[in-house]
Amino acid sequence: LGSLLAAVRAPGVASLGGLLGLLATLPPTARWLRLPMFAVIDRALPAIAAGHAFGRLGCLLGGCCFGAFWDGPLAIHYTHPLAPAAISSLGRHPVPLYEAAALFGTAGLLAVPWLLARMKASVTRSERLNWRKRPSSRLARMNSITSG
């Protein structure tokens, strides 16, 4: 039991816990939504990528994940004694920051097909609603004016 608690408190376990939670809740969610499991995964992917990006930002702030030694313009100096990256006072590459930016970009790209489908559905819905209200062609408008 002691080694299990030590493993849970170790850095990097939050991502594994999120993955296990996703795998545990995926079948009941698909059943509840009455959708195939892959459709649920497809709709959840942007949120999964964004959630992982926020996790990477947490790693950056906690100092548990860090890059190689570096003294460039974006170098981060960890000073808190409990941060694993504070072993030396040298600057480090902000690798979690790079990963978070890439994951937010990935989340945006994964959301594009869903957003386009929603826009197309709303346009199609509005066309159906306005079809009887406004004739679409000049000939149809003239016919409706002359007939009554």
Side-chain angles (χ1 to χ4, degrees):
L1 185 63
S3 63
L4 179 62
L5 289 175
V8 169
R9 292 181 181 161
V13 178
S15 296
L16 294 176
L19 180 63
L20 290 175
L22 171 74
L23 293 176
T25 58
L26 188 61
T29 302
R31 198 174 315 116
W32 179 61
L33 293 173
R34 295 186 179 109
L35 290 171
M37 199 169 316
F38 287 113
V40 174
I41 292 171
D42 198 31
R43 291 183 173 112
L45 279 177
I48 292 168
H52 190 63
F54 282 114
R56 298 309 298 159
L57 291 176
C59 286
L60 176 75
L61 296 175
C64 62
C65 303
F66 46 86
F69 294 117
W70 185 56
D71 279 328
L74 293 177
I76 293 181
H77 298 271
Y78 292 96
T79 57
H80 195 279
L82 294 178
I87 295 169
S88 69
S89 61
L90 296 174
R92 295 191 176 267
H93 261 290
V95 172
L97 187 63
Y98 306 149
E99 291 174 337
L103 284 165
F104 280 127
T106 302
L109 288 175
L110 289 171
V112 166
W114 180 78
L115 292 172
L116 291 176
R118 298 259 317 181
M119 288 172 44
K120 182 179 178 185
S122 66
V123 167
T124 306
R125 191 177 315 117
S126 67
E127 286 174 353
R128 275 186 275 147
L129 292 175
N130 292 330
W131 179 68
R132 294 185 184 177
K133 293 179 186 175
R134 287 184 271 152
S136 58
S137 69
R138 180 181 285 176
L139 181 61
R141 280 194 298 265
M142 288 175 49
N143 201 7
S144 67
I145 292 171
T146 57
S147 64

